[in-house]
Each structure stands twice: as C-alpha cells, then as structure tokens.
Amino acid sequence: MFSLRMCQLALSLSALLCTSVSAQRKPLFTSPLPTGLRLDPAGEAVDLGSLPINLVLTPEKDRAVVVLSGWREQGLQVVDLKTRKVTQTLLQDGAFYGAAFSPTAIASASPAATLT
C-alpha cells in the first residue's frame, strides 16, 4: 500500500515538472488573436498580407500566388515555396476570392502576369 502511494506521488510530481518545463518554452507564433489566445502553426509559417483568402500553385509548382482580401490591403502575393519568402506583392483597389492560371499563357518571369 505504501509503495503504491509512493508511485502515485512520484507520477504526480513528474507530470507537474513536465508541465512546468513545457510551459516555459516560447511559442512559435507570437501574434495573438483578437481574443488574446495564441495559435501555434503545425508547420512553417509564412508572413503574408492582410486576410490571405485563397492560394493557387503555379504550373511549375515552385511558387504560390496568394489572394489578399483584407481590410488594409488587397491584391496578390507571390511566395517562393523553397525559401518560404514573399517575392512579389501586387496591391489592387479590390481583390476577389478566385485566381487561376491561363493554360494558354506564355511563360513569364512573374507568375502574377499569367493569372487570369
């Protein structure tokens, strides 16, 4: 009976110690939500513009075009998927949800130039 109590106590102390150590780690994502809570991404995060609402891969699949439809900025951003960096931002007066690449477009240095 005494050894069972000691095992329970040891388990409780180790759980408490593990919880306090993991609580001291700095979160990966530091911008809080409007509610004050924080969400940590499951993978790598890319810093994008206001309200990225849609994402389309380029035909080569090495870049992505993101549609921004937020309050402070609207337009398109081109993200290099290998470096995880925004390479181009094209602001517009208004943006919509959809984006698509034209199957007959001539190859261009800018993926945003071949969007329809």
Side-chain angles (χ1 to χ4, degrees):
M1 187 72 149
F2 178 72
S3 62
L4 181 61
R5 289 258 188 218
M6 288 303 287
C7 285
Q8 287 176 340
L9 180 64
L11 266 166
S12 298
L13 286 175
S14 65
L16 182 63
L17 181 63
C18 289
T19 304
S20 67
V21 168
S22 66
Q24 292 176 0
R25 281 190 279 158
K26 185 177 178 182
L28 299 174
F29 188 66
T30 58
S31 295
L33 297 172
T35 59
L37 297 175
R38 298 177 188 273
L39 294 176
D40 292 331
E44 294 180 38
V46 176
D47 190 23
L48 297 172
S50 180
L51 191 61
I53 200 162
N54 195 5
L55 179 138
V56 179
L57 291 175
T58 60
E60 299 83 21
K61 300 198 181 343
D62 61 343
R63 292 173 283 187
V65 174
V66 180
V67 178
L68 304 177
S69 294
W71 177 76
R72 66 181 157 98
E73 61 187 349
Q74 298 176 352
L76 303 169
Q77 283 186 319
V78 180
V79 178
D80 185 339
L81 296 178
K82 291 178 184 151
T83 62
R84 307 275 200 258
K85 302 267 187 225
V86 175
T87 59
Q88 189 175 10
T89 300
L90 303 166
L91 297 180
Q92 299 173 340
D93 292 334
F96 299 94
Y97 175 75
F101 283 92
S102 171
T104 59
I106 299 172
S108 170
S110 168
T114 59
L115 280 173
T116 58

